[in-house]
Amino acid sequence: GLLAMLKELRRTIATEIAKPAYIVFSDATLIDMAERRPENIHQFRLVNGVGDHKARLYAERFLQVINERKSG
């Protein structure tokens, strides 16, 4: 489901930046994201564990996955 897709994106980003996956977002953050299913940057910023910096870095890509899942 959506959580698996979010974890896959996290893994891809972690590989790109050569950091462990938890540096991108924790499992708890991804779970909250999957439950909330934010639709825009403002809602994304309300997810537990998402600060301004990570929202700027990653919101667009995570929101794309969430929105694809909604429409798919």
Side-chain angles (χ1 to χ4, degrees):
L2 178 57
L3 183 57
M5 294 168 71
L6 295 174
K7 286 184 176 185
E8 181 60 34
L9 176 56
R10 176 181 66 177
R11 194 169 23 255
T12 299
I13 292 170
T15 300
E16 290 171 3
I17 64 174
K19 301 278 186 192
Y22 70 87
I23 295 296
V24 178
F25 287 122
S26 69
D27 281 352
T29 297
L30 294 185
I31 290 167
D32 193 47
M33 198 179 296
E35 290 173 352
R36 289 176 184 259
R37 296 174 184 246
E39 296 180 2
N40 56 53
I41 185 72
H42 303 292
Q43 292 175 3
F44 188 82
R45 183 59 189 80
L46 298 175
V47 173
N48 278 330
V50 175
D52 290 335
H53 181 69
K54 288 188 178 183
R56 275 194 302 276
L57 290 175
Y58 308 129
E60 186 176 336
R61 291 172 77 179
F62 280 90
L63 288 171
Q64 183 178 357
V65 168
I66 293 164
N67 288 325
E68 285 172 5
R69 177 73 178 161
K70 282 182 182 175
S71 61

